Each structure stands twice: as C-alpha cells, then as structure tokens.
Amino acid sequence: ILVLVDWGMPFDESPVTSEPSTHVECSQLELGALEKKPIKSRVKNLEAIWFGEHYLQTWYFSPYPQEYTEARVIYICEYCLYHFASEKQFERHCKKCTIRHPPGNEIYRDDDISFFEIDGARQVTYCQNLSLLSKLFLDQKSLYYDLIPFMFYVMCRSDTYGFHIIGYFSKEKNSIEHNLSCILTLPHFQRQGYGRLLIEMSYELAKIENKIGTPEKPFSDLGLLSYQKYWQETIIEILHRYHQFHGGEITIEEISEKTYIDQRDVLYTLHTLGIGSYQGQTTIRLTDAMIDMSKNKKRRIDRSH
C-alpha cells in the first residue's frame, strides 16, 4: 500500500531527536519525585524486597532509612506502600491494614485493569513511598520531596483481595509540552504489554486535555524502544485507515492531530521506519507485515470505559 505524505521538509532530512542514555528506564529530566540532574550511581543498599507475595531482587540504590538498609531485605505493603525491616512487623501491619487500592480516583477500569489518578500535593506519603520503591529499579536519579507539581497515574490489576500495582507514570501538572515525565513497570509485570498500556494512557489523557504532547527526553535505551514500538504501531494504523477511507495525501500535521503524537516524534518514527520513497511525491510504503503488527496489540485502552 502506498500512502502520500506531505513531509513539510525534505524526506532525507533527519528529524531532531535526543540521544539515548543508558541504564535508565525514564528520561533524564524531571521524573515525578526524581531529580532532574543525574548523579553518580551508588552501590545498591538492598539485596531484595518482599512486595506482597513477590520476592524481587533490586537493581539500584534507593535512599531508604539506614535501619532498613541494614536488613538488606525489606518488606513493603503492596497496597499502602509502607515498608518494614522485619517480617513480624510486616505481618502485624498486614493484619491491620485496610487499604486495598491506591489513594486516588479510579479513572479507568477494563475487566481487571484499573488506573488511579493521584495528586502528589494531596497524597504526599504515598507518592514518596512510590518514589522510594521506583528508585530501586531506576538508575542515575536522586529523590526529592517536592511532589506538588506532579500527578501520578498508577495501573493496577484487581482480584478478590484488592488492587495490585503493575506500574505507573507521572506527569507535570502545568507542562505545556510534555505528556509524561516518568514511567515504570514493576519487574514481575514486565514483557506482558503493560508498558505499552501505560504509554497509551498518557496519550489518551492528552486527548482529553486536547494537548498534543511528547514524553520528556532524552530516553533510556529501553524507554526509546518502548516508545518507538508504540509510535510505529499507532502511526501505521492511522496511515492504513486513512488510505482505506480517504486516499489522497495526508500531512505530518494531520497525523499528529489524529494521534496526539508530537510532529517531531512522527517525523522521527517515519524516518526510523525507513519506508519512505520519492516518486515525484513522497510516499510511504506499508507492507502487510507492518499492518498486521499495528493490529496485533495484546492490550489496549478502551475509550468507552
């Protein structure tokens, strides 16, 4: 399938993009409760955590109080995110804790998947604990506690016991350009399509706010791959649908308006796909494999919910 595209720039001109960093699951800019400037990596101070029923080996340093780090393994309540140095303390807490979901508004539910919106200014303790937990799996960051400028969107999977955290993303409340600051899928839920669901939700919120946005950059290697996959699938789906129902030419601006993906990210994606050619006009060649890839999504946000 050939789709005519008005690039608004020569096809062989590479769009400007940030250089990827390494070993960081988020951008190097402000990340929710994570500091803007990267710091030298510190030796991790915890070997592992018990998070609910999951034993997770940690990846990086997180500034938990000294009495916790001396234990090398700590216990974290998966509902309220309070942490404990001993198993007995944790067991006593679990018997008394009545919290079964994040302390925010449930803004989305589809089957057993829910999203909760949490204001960093109103739920300071929970967001601080979420940030401490996240730091165990994010490198080159230091924590700070000015949570007022940020909203947190926590994705959970529910069962008869409650809502279990899968991952989250944060965004700055008053940012004009960015629709996401930090994103993390907890290790035991990775490679199951949940990262893509988090990214898609950030764009669905941008649509509600009517703000075309972009995630903060530069990306980590893993972050760049995740976004590349989402952008490719989404843009190919739009191009295929446009060809089916309209034909003719579509502009980069129109692709951006239909997907809420920033024009620079659209250009970057089309460039990296390497599917453009010039035959008197710039055309994008879509193969059956590309179209199938764009349709083959394990998990999607259902806007009717």
Side-chain angles (χ1 to χ4, degrees):
I1 295 174
L2 295 178
V3 182
L4 298 178
V5 178
D6 179 5
W7 289 76
M9 61 183 291
F11 173 73
D12 60 354
E13 182 178 338
S14 300
V16 177
T17 184
S18 303
E19 294 182 1
S21 59
T22 57
H23 306 301
V24 189
E25 295 241 8
C26 300
S27 68
Q28 294 286 1
L29 298 179
E30 201 164 23
L31 308 181
L34 300 179
E35 205 171 61
K36 284 184 178 181
K37 296 181 180 179
I39 61 170
K40 292 182 179 180
S41 297
R42 300 173 66 176
V43 176
K44 72 175 185 177
N45 51 346
L46 292 171
E47 293 295 332
I49 62 172
W50 275 104
F51 187 69
E53 297 180 348
H54 301 279
Y55 180 81
L56 305 176
Q57 291 188 328
T58 61
W59 299 350
Y60 305 113
F61 172 89
S62 182
Y64 282 93
Q66 183 66 30
E67 61 266 28
Y68 293 95
T69 59
E70 289 176 353
R72 305 302 291 173
V73 177
I74 64 172
Y75 301 82
I76 301 175
C77 176
E78 63 175 322
Y79 299 113
C80 68
L81 304 186
Y82 277 106
H83 36 269
F84 302 89
S86 76
E87 187 175 3
K88 288 185 178 180
Q89 290 176 330
F90 177 65
E91 289 175 348
R92 286 197 298 267
H93 168 82
C94 290
K95 291 177 181 178
K96 297 178 181 180
C97 184
T98 59
I99 295 173
R100 286 297 178 266
H101 60 77
N105 296 323
E106 186 181 11
I107 61 172
Y108 176 86
R109 181 183 291 190
D110 183 9
D111 195 15
D112 62 343
I113 299 298
S114 294
F115 275 86
F116 290 84
E117 181 182 63
I118 303 169
D119 189 338
R122 300 184 64 182
Q123 301 293 342
V124 176
T125 300
Y126 181 89
C127 292
Q128 287 178 352
N129 287 336
L130 178 61
S131 300
L132 283 168
L133 171 64
S134 302
K135 185 65 183 70
L136 294 169
F137 308 104
L138 300 173
D139 196 13
Q140 299 179 356
K141 295 290 178 289
S142 64
L143 292 176
Y144 75 103
Y145 296 96
D146 181 14
L147 303 174
I148 294 175
F150 294 94
M151 299 296 294
F152 295 78
Y153 295 87
V154 179
M155 180 168 61
C156 299
R157 189 168 68 186
S158 62
D159 59 21
T160 55
Y161 297 99
F163 293 80
H164 309 276
I165 296 177
I166 296 171
Y168 83 100
F169 67 89
S170 63
K171 59 179 292 189
E172 197 169 357
K173 296 174 184 176
N174 299 317
S175 176
I176 298 174
E177 180 181 4
H178 299 118
N179 60 9
L180 184 143
S181 296
C182 176
I183 184 171
L184 174 71
T185 304
L186 290 173
H188 53 296
F189 283 114
Q190 291 183 1
R191 300 186 183 278
Q192 299 178 47
Y194 291 117
R196 189 197 185 285
L197 208 60
L198 287 165
I199 293 173
E200 186 174 359
M201 177 57 80
S202 72
Y203 280 101
E204 290 300 324
L205 292 174
K207 292 174 184 177
I208 293 172
E209 298 171 358
N210 196 28
K211 293 180 180 179
I212 294 175
T214 185
E216 292 184 355
K217 302 180 181 70
F219 291 116
S220 67
D221 292 339
L222 292 176
L224 180 61
L225 289 173
S226 297
Y227 266 93
Q228 279 181 334
K229 184 174 176 59
Y230 173 80
W231 288 337
Q232 289 173 5
E233 291 175 348
T234 303
I235 292 171
I236 288 172
E237 183 178 18
I238 287 294
L239 291 175
H240 182 226
R241 189 183 306 162
Y242 189 87
H243 173 79
Q244 282 184 310
F245 296 102
H246 302 284
E249 186 176 86
I250 185 171
T251 66
I252 297 298
E253 183 179 4
E254 287 173 327
I255 296 173
S256 178
E257 290 173 350
K258 292 177 184 296
T259 61
Y260 279 73
I261 298 173
D262 187 86
Q263 292 187 42
R264 292 166 295 180
D265 298 330
V266 174
L267 284 167
Y268 171 77
T269 302
L270 293 174
H271 180 80
T272 54
L273 279 170
I275 56 177
S277 62
Y278 187 79
Q279 302 171 1
Q281 291 178 286
T282 300
T283 60
I284 298 295
R285 183 178 297 275
L286 301 180
T287 66
D288 290 340
M290 290 178 181
I291 295 169
D292 290 342
M293 176 194 71
S294 70
K295 295 178 180 179
N296 185 26
K297 304 180 185 73
K298 295 181 180 179
R299 305 181 188 277
R300 294 200 65 169
I301 298 295
D302 187 342
R303 298 192 69 184
S304 66
H305 287 70

